[in-house]
Amino acid sequence: MKKYSTLKKAALLSVSMLVGMSAANAHSTNLDASILSSCDAVTSFAKNADHNDAQISSAQMKGYVDARVACQVQHQDQHLQSEKYFVKNYNSEK
């Protein structure tokens, strides 16, 4: 399970870097704290930035990658909590 998690993070980082590198000849895009604080906004930003071939600075890319990893951890934690709830409430050994 740990290898899978590490592999997912590496793939996510690769995709994030690809989005940043594909932004060679375009306008600058603002990546502010309001975007980075919402997982849905981070996803929308990445889709829009890739679609518009936006340039993202190194500092902004680092902020984006950190926010994306935090969203992934949050998402995995939600799954773990759901599994714990299921096992606790529906365990056949009760």
Side-chain angles (χ1 to χ4, degrees):
M1 182 71 172
K2 189 174 186 177
K3 288 182 184 179
Y4 181 71
S5 177
T6 303
L7 183 59
K8 280 177 80 173
K9 287 180 185 175
L12 182 61
L13 180 60
S14 298
V15 169
S16 298
M17 293 305 292
L18 181 61
V19 169
M21 290 187 303
S22 69
N25 295 320
H27 61 281
S28 178
T29 301
N30 187 24
L31 183 58
D32 60 21
S34 65
I35 293 173
L36 295 176
S37 63
S38 166
C39 291
D40 291 336
V42 170
T43 301
S44 294
F45 173 83
K47 288 178 185 176
N48 291 336
D50 188 40
H51 177 73
N52 295 327
D53 290 329
Q55 284 188 330
I56 302 170
S57 71
S58 296
Q60 288 179 327
M61 182 53 75
K62 181 179 180 341
Y64 168 78
V65 170
D66 291 345
R68 178 52 71 201
V69 170
C71 289
Q72 184 66 27
V73 168
Q74 178 185 9
H75 183 76
Q76 288 177 346
D77 184 58
Q78 289 171 347
H79 281 287
L80 180 61
Q81 295 304 320
S82 295
E83 289 175 21
K84 285 180 180 180
Y85 175 82
F86 178 81
V87 169
K88 179 181 175 186
N89 289 312
Y90 300 105
N91 190 351
S92 62
E93 296 178 7
K94 278 189 171 181

